[in-house]
Every structure is written in C-alpha cells, then in structure tokens.
Amino acid sequence: MGQLVDLTVLNLAKNRLVTVGSIGDLPGLEELWIRDNQIADLSALQPLQGCTNLRRLTLKPNPVCRQWVDIYFHFIVHICPMLEQLDGKKVGEQEREAASKFLVSPEGR
C-alpha cells in the first residue's frame, strides 16, 4: 500500500474482510467504508490507529459491532483521535472523554 499514501477515501464494503490488515499504512486516509464485512474481533481493527487523519468511518454492520456492542464505539474513538463521525454518529470531545473513561473502567478492560 506504500504507493497509496495520498489516498483519502476508500470503500471496502462487502468484501468479506476479517481484518483491516495494513490499512494503517495509509496515513492520508480520511474516510473509510468497511461495512458489511466479516470483522469480528476488536484486535482486527487495531491497524486503524495508523490512519492518523481518519475523520469518517463506517463499520456497521460487522460482527464486531454486535459482539462488542458496548465496547466497539469507545475502542474506535480511542484509537482514532481525529475521528469526527463513526457509523453516522458525530464524534466530539464528549465522546472522546466518555471513551477514555470507559476504557479504564472495569467494564472496558
């Protein structure tokens, strides 16, 4: 993906993905559509942390959204600090604070 460093929008919806792989190698990515895949584990989303300019992410529906319904939103907001919108929901300072608090709570560990 090294040649795609200037890519800003990527639609990978409906591709049966189980992980986002090396997507973190796309630092210029601002908008990502990964809905309707087979992503079931939060660790499969960890590479999103490398997408330092990610502003909009569409993840629902994926198994991870159902299996980790109380956690996935906080997890993504925490690892993607520039995010402005997740699954159509606005992400602001209040959501970032809630994510930080949740992830250090007994429920979020």
Side-chain angles (χ1 to χ4, degrees):
M1 286 200 202
Q3 296 174 334
L4 302 174
V5 293
D6 294 329
L7 188 69
T8 58
V9 178
L10 181 59
N11 186 342
L12 293 172
K14 299 182 181 184
N15 279 287
R16 298 182 182 174
L17 300 176
V18 295
T19 182
V20 293
S22 58
I23 200 124
D25 294 340
L26 301 173
L29 196 61
E30 295 178 8
E31 186 170 344
L32 177 62
W33 295 72
I34 50 175
R35 64 184 315 262
D36 291 307
N37 280 293
Q38 301 301 315
I39 301 168
D41 196 341
L42 290 172
S43 64
L45 298 169
Q46 192 71 43
L48 291 173
Q49 198 166 15
C51 298
T52 54
N53 287 307
L54 193 61
R55 304 283 193 263
R56 288 169 298 286
L57 174 62
T58 303
L59 183 59
K60 278 185 173 180
N62 267 287
V64 71
C65 302
R66 290 185 301 276
Q67 293 170 358
W68 299 99
V69 68
D70 295 330
I71 298 174
Y72 96 92
F73 190 89
H74 296 299
F75 177 77
I76 296 296
V77 168
H78 181 72
I79 66 168
C80 299
M82 300 303 289
L83 207 60
E84 297 171 355
Q85 188 179 73
L86 174 57
D87 292 329
K89 183 177 178 184
K90 182 181 180 277
V91 175
E93 195 56 40
Q94 186 175 3
E95 288 78 15
R96 284 184 233 299
E97 287 177 21
S100 294
K101 288 178 184 175
F102 179 80
L103 292 173
V104 297
S105 73
E107 297 86 14
R109 287 188 208 156

